[in-house]
Amino acid sequence: MMLDPLSGIGLAGNLIQFVDSGIKVVSAFREISASADGALHENKVSEAIIKDLQSQIQILKDDDQLSLDWETEALLQDCEAVAKDLSRHFLALQPKSKGIIDRIRATGKSIQTREKILNAETRLFKIRDQITSRLVSHVFAQKQQLSASINSFIDNDDNWKREMETKLNKSLFVLERLRRDNAAKEDLTRITQILKTTLINIRNTHITHAILKSLYFHEIKQRESEILEAHRQTFTWALQGDGDSCFIRWLASVDPSVDVFWVSGKAGSGKSTLMKFLYRHPRTLEVLRLWAESKQLIIAGHFFWSLGVPFQKTQEGLLRSLLYQVFIKCPDLIPKVCRNRYVESGLEHLEPWSRNELFDTLKTLSTLKGIPVKMCLFIDGLDEYTGDHIELINLLKTLNKSTDIKICAASRPWVDFLDAFNHSSWKLHVHNLTSNDIRLYIRDYLENDPRFQDLKQDQPVEANELTSEIATKAQGVFLWVYLVVRELLRGLRNLDSIIDLHRRLLAIPPDLEPYFKMMLESIDKVYRQRAAKVFRILLHSQMTLPVLTFYFVDQEETDPQYALRPTTLLGNDSHIWNLIQRKKVQLIAQCKDILHLSTAEGEPYMIKERAGFLHRTVADFLQSNGINDLLDEMLPPNFDARVSLCRAFLAEIKGQRPTTAYLPSQVTRVKDHVENLVLGVVFYAYASEVAGSRAHLALLEELESVVFDDFVFLSTYPIKIGRERTKSLLDLSSRCGLNRFVLNRVGDSGVNQAGVLRNALEPRIMITHNASFEATIADEYNVSLVKDLLELGISPNMPLSPPENMKTIWEEYIAKLVTSRSFRKLGDSGEYGICSLMLSHGADKTIKVGGNSLAINFSSVFSGDLAVELTILLRRG
């Protein structure tokens, strides 16, 4: 293990302080040797400095970080040697009495030690030069490390990075010059000041980084990136002219009471595409800069997605996303707005944000006086928010009260949103304004097709009637036009005539849901089962999945046990890439236009190509009663999406390439993805167990052999649970509710049964599906597993290992219970159930904890009635 740059800078600073103290001792010696008068007084001063010197040496020796850097450790040894020499010289100068003769002798000794003192001073300057060299190295390494950390963030602000680098470069420049010029002793104070400033700058950057990291989630920009770009020259009407556009007037308005700007429209009318267009357009930025005047302008956006992970459809996700985007662009706001989090302690493991804390933080930001920024927030898909819509509307209106915040929000015209926003003049209804955009799209994609132009040459009237009919039937729904044009282009590839194309158009229902049903029924019978599996898996996962996942799902058809085979992915990286490209073509052919393929830029190649539903309306359609039943009919017998996902995730884990196969910037993301896959296997295995299946048991055994028994793999892809890291799937399973797996394994040879019961007594680990699979420690217990293990014959009085622990399972549990719960009485809890079960299964009733009997300990831990019931159990038998 190596010393990290920040610790190295701190250690070097302590060494510099030692050198500074040493030079003060030398200065005091010089004064003593120069004059016999007052020598005793000077010696007293020197004695205090010597003690300070020795205490600094001890502090340095006690620093655990020192052993991580042999060069700094060697410097400390030099410092210690100098300190001992100076102490020895000091003692040699002490007069034995206050007589004149003793004072003359002391003066003589001062003259004799002068050369030795000068030698010590030379050594101190040499140590200082070495420390300065180390400092230059550590500060440079810290700058590189912080730059890389900042670069890892999405939407990172170059100004923040540039400001941080400028501050550290200034420190580097001065330190380098002092080293090069062999600076005099008076520059030690300056070096110390530079170090203090440098450490403050680095500490602040680390705190900022930690807070940003605690807000960030991988899917923070996923939905926006998957929204199709606006077709050329469409939606330009929203930004034309200074006074003609309602939206432009709203952007420029300085009226402090200006309402939320509401973008409304039918399902599939292009609201999200318009919001992305407005959010990213240079004209929006140009007008908002005039509104912001001299203040920094921040434009932030959040795109709700009902088919995504919880952070993409909840208030927590909205608040985290907005705070992250504001703070990444103006980090100076963090200490003003996040005062409780802006502390040095716990930087590596900041506690998760609660919704209330997120809301209070954003509210503080909106009410902050003299705020140096103005913000415009674009929030799309309010109707895709899964919580209380009134609560969301009130949040937006609260934020919008700030004179420094504007909000543009989009939704379907549902009652709650009509009541909240329809009274305002600041609104537009997309489906009423896109007729020209739709005609432009039809012209560019259909009319400009060479085969259509050939038909139009022969039948111009009929061709024009066809395109006009498409625009009329669309009723402002862009998604319908997109699908119709794709269908007609397929007809052109078949060399359809104008009559054929018109028949295709007449066969297409004018509304989206009947159209989706027609598309579903038109899937080739050969592909229907596979398509139904894809749809069911996407509905179950509620997120886009890597295309590679569906390659693995297909393997079930020929080998349901494929994930248990020694190898699940053959060939080199080029071969894997070809598999992914082939699977993309198959998905398009088999699932029609119901599916949408996207590329997550910047992601590792194995997971960057992703598949999801074309639009939210597709998922709504597939989950409707009649269609859901139709999907069930198309699926193979006993198909379980949970087990399929378990298999696919396990196969993907086994197919992972070494981290050396990825770009350095992608390694962290790959590790996160593998950890996510492991937790995903456990998550779906638990869901499968709850549903009564046993198919997951063999998959968990394979996961254990691949990940948890292969410590090389685990060291590359560590599995983090809260602040801990686990190296046993059996331990993890006992705390995640995988009771059947635990009970199957607990009787195996070599299994530490005491350890299994001990883990079952710990608080449960809950794996939730948020922005990814996350494992958190809950305030509840797996009492049913404890009961099953006790009934198997595992005694609560079994001693723990190692033997030197000298405690039984029962003794340790009661000790932990008393220690952790002494501040409050427990009601009817998991702990009470566990105590009852263990007493009923022979737990030793005579043990004492803290010198107290079990009855006394129970009365201190549990509320009255429960303590009485446990005491009754103690008296039985």
Side-chain angles (χ1 to χ4, degrees), residues 257-316:
S257 62
V258 68
D259 289 328
V260 171
F261 191 95
W262 185 39
V263 174
S264 171
K266 297 178 182 178
S269 60
K271 297 182 298 296
S272 295
T273 303
L274 173 62
M275 286 291 282
K276 182 176 179 178
F277 173 81
L278 297 175
Y279 174 44
R280 293 296 183 185
H281 201 281
R283 178 70 172 140
T284 301
L285 178 63
E286 177 189 337
V287 179
L288 283 173
R289 276 183 175 154
L290 295 175
W291 166 68
E293 296 179 326
S294 61
K295 291 188 175 184
Q296 179 184 349
L297 174 65
I298 295 176
I299 303 177
H302 183 75
F303 292 74
F304 281 112
W305 181 229
S306 64
L307 299 179
V309 296
F311 280 152
Q312 293 175 295
K313 53 189 173 183
T314 59
Q315 195 174 123
E316 287 89 338

Side-chain angles (χ1 to χ4, degrees), residues 189-389:
T189 303
R190 191 176 182 192
I191 293 175
T192 303
Q193 187 56 49
I194 291 168
L195 280 180
K196 287 179 180 177
T197 303
T198 301
L199 285 169
I200 289 171
N201 290 335
I202 291 172
R203 173 187 171 276
N204 290 345
T205 305
H206 271 288
I207 295 173
T208 299
H209 179 274
I211 290 174
L212 286 169
K213 188 176 180 181
S214 71
L215 291 168
Y216 178 76
F217 53 95
H218 286 305
E219 290 80 2
I220 204 163
K221 289 292 182 182
Q222 183 188 40
R223 171 57 180 155
E224 182 197 345
S225 67
E226 291 177 352
I227 295 170
L228 295 175
E229 297 287 343
H231 181 57
R232 68 174 192 87
Q233 296 184 353
T234 57
F235 298 130
T236 53
W237 45 265
L239 295 170
Q240 284 177 347
D242 293 330
D244 297 336
S245 166
C246 174
F247 181 70
I248 288 291
R249 293 199 308 275
W250 175 81
L251 287 177
S253 174
V254 294
D255 181 356
S257 62
V258 68
D259 289 328
V260 171
F261 191 95
W262 185 39
V263 174
S264 171
K266 297 178 182 178
S269 60
K271 297 182 298 296
S272 295
T273 303
L274 173 62
M275 286 291 282
K276 182 176 179 178
F277 173 81
L278 297 175
Y279 174 44
R280 293 296 183 185
H281 201 281
R283 178 70 172 140
T284 301
L285 178 63
E286 177 189 337
V287 179
L288 283 173
R289 276 183 175 154
L290 295 175
W291 166 68
E293 296 179 326
S294 61
K295 291 188 175 184
Q296 179 184 349
L297 174 65
I298 295 176
I299 303 177
H302 183 75
F303 292 74
F304 281 112
W305 181 229
S306 64
L307 299 179
V309 296
F311 280 152
Q312 293 175 295
K313 53 189 173 183
T314 59
Q315 195 174 123
E316 287 89 338
L318 168 69
L319 298 173
R320 281 177 65 163
S321 174
L322 294 179
L323 285 172
Y324 170 81
Q325 292 174 75
V326 170
F327 289 158
I328 196 76
K329 292 170 183 173
C330 188
D332 291 343
L333 288 172
I334 295 177
K336 298 174 184 176
V337 178
C338 304
R339 293 186 183 92
N340 293 335
R341 284 182 174 260
Y342 204 79
V343 291
E344 187 171 8
S345 59
L347 285 182
E348 295 302 317
H349 303 288
L350 289 179
E351 293 300 318
W353 293 79
S354 67
R355 189 174 72 162
N356 287 340
E357 185 186 6
L358 288 164
F359 175 75
D360 289 344
T361 303
L362 198 57
K363 189 175 179 182
T364 300
L365 178 63
S366 68
T367 56
L368 202 63
K369 300 299 182 184
I371 189 170
V373 301
K374 280 186 176 282
M375 295 167 279
C376 186
L377 312 178
F378 288 81
I379 303 172
D380 178 53
L382 302 186
D383 49 292
E384 303 202 40
Y385 170 64
T386 56
D388 185 335
H389 289 151

Side-chain angles (χ1 to χ4, degrees), residues 391-404:
E391 186 180 72
L392 178 62
I393 289 165
N394 290 336
L395 168 64
L396 299 185
K397 289 190 171 183
T398 297
L399 296 177
N400 199 65
K401 289 178 182 177
S402 170
T403 57
D404 294 310

Side-chain angles (χ1 to χ4, degrees), residues 48-86:
I49 299 174
I50 285 289
K51 286 182 179 178
D52 180 57
L53 206 62
Q54 291 169 339
S55 68
Q56 287 185 38
I57 285 290
Q58 192 57 48
I59 290 170
L60 285 163
K61 289 171 71 176
D62 291 342
D63 194 326
D64 293 335
Q65 295 289 327
L66 190 67
S67 61
L68 300 179
D69 185 48
W70 67 268
E71 292 184 8
T72 306
E73 194 171 16
L75 281 174
L76 175 60
Q77 291 171 0
D78 292 343
C79 291
E80 191 174 12
V82 172
K84 287 179 180 178
D85 288 346
L86 289 174

Side-chain angles (χ1 to χ4, degrees), residues 713-727:
F713 186 98
L714 194 61
S715 65
T716 305
Y717 302 109
I719 310 305
K720 187 176 179 182
I721 308 297
R723 297 184 183 183
E724 308 165 8
R725 293 197 182 276
T726 183
K727 289 189 175 180

Side-chain angles (χ1 to χ4, degrees), residues 852-865:
N852 296 321
S853 67
L854 281 175
I856 293 174
N857 281 318
F858 286 153
S859 66
S860 71
V861 172
F862 295 101
S863 60
D865 291 344

Side-chain angles (χ1 to χ4, degrees), residues 400-592:
N400 199 65
K401 289 178 182 177
S402 170
T403 57
D404 294 310
I405 296 177
K406 287 178 183 281
I407 297 177
C408 176
S411 75
R412 295 182 187 180
W414 289 357
V415 174
D416 289 343
F417 304 120
L418 284 167
D419 290 346
F421 305 125
N422 204 41
H423 68 278
S424 171
S425 59
W426 302 115
K427 64 179 183 291
L428 61 82
H429 301 290
V430 181
H431 54 271
N432 292 334
L433 299 167
T434 54
S435 58
N436 289 335
D437 293 339
I438 286 172
R439 292 181 185 279
L440 177 63
Y441 183 87
I442 295 169
R443 187 188 70 196
D444 285 354
Y445 280 98
L446 182 63
E447 293 185 58
N448 286 347
D449 184 279
R451 286 159 294 199
F452 188 86
Q453 289 179 347
D454 288 344
L455 293 175
K456 190 175 181 178
Q457 246 185 343
D458 296 334
Q459 297 175 281
V461 175
E462 291 82 353
N464 287 333
E465 287 175 351
L466 177 69
T467 55
S468 295
E469 189 174 350
I470 296 170
T472 302
K473 290 182 71 174
Q475 301 179 65
V477 179
F478 235 117
L479 178 60
W480 186 87
V481 177
Y482 168 81
L483 293 169
V484 167
V485 168
R486 285 172 67 97
E487 175 63 21
L488 296 182
L489 287 173
R490 275 191 282 268
L492 287 171
R493 286 195 293 273
N494 296 338
L495 299 181
D496 281 5
S497 66
I498 287 289
I499 293 176
D500 295 329
L501 294 177
H502 196 260
R503 284 173 180 162
R504 282 181 183 269
L505 179 60
L506 289 175
I508 296 172
D511 295 319
L512 284 174
E513 286 205 4
Y515 192 2
F516 292 148
K517 185 175 183 182
M518 187 185 81
M519 289 167 61
L520 188 63
E521 292 171 343
S522 70
I523 293 174
D524 194 311
K525 289 183 179 180
V526 174
Y527 300 144
R528 284 188 182 181
Q529 187 179 97
R530 192 173 291 175
K533 287 168 67 175
V534 171
F535 300 151
R536 182 67 80 211
I537 284 171
L538 283 173
L539 287 170
H540 202 86
S541 68
Q542 294 191 320
M543 60 189 291
T544 64
L545 291 170
V547 169
L548 191 60
T549 300
F550 297 103
Y551 164 79
F552 288 123
V553 170
D554 287 350
Q555 308 311 303
E556 291 179 339
E557 296 177 10
T558 55
D559 183 7
Q561 305 303 317
Y562 76 95
L564 306 179
R565 305 301 175 213
T567 56
T568 57
L569 192 62
L570 302 175
N572 55 27
D573 292 350
S574 175
H575 178 64
I576 296 169
W577 182 248
N578 288 335
L579 287 179
I580 293 170
Q581 299 308 309
R582 188 181 308 128
K583 188 61 203 169
K584 285 173 65 177
V585 174
Q586 291 173 351
L587 285 171
I588 293 168
Q590 295 163 4
C591 300
K592 300 286 185 174

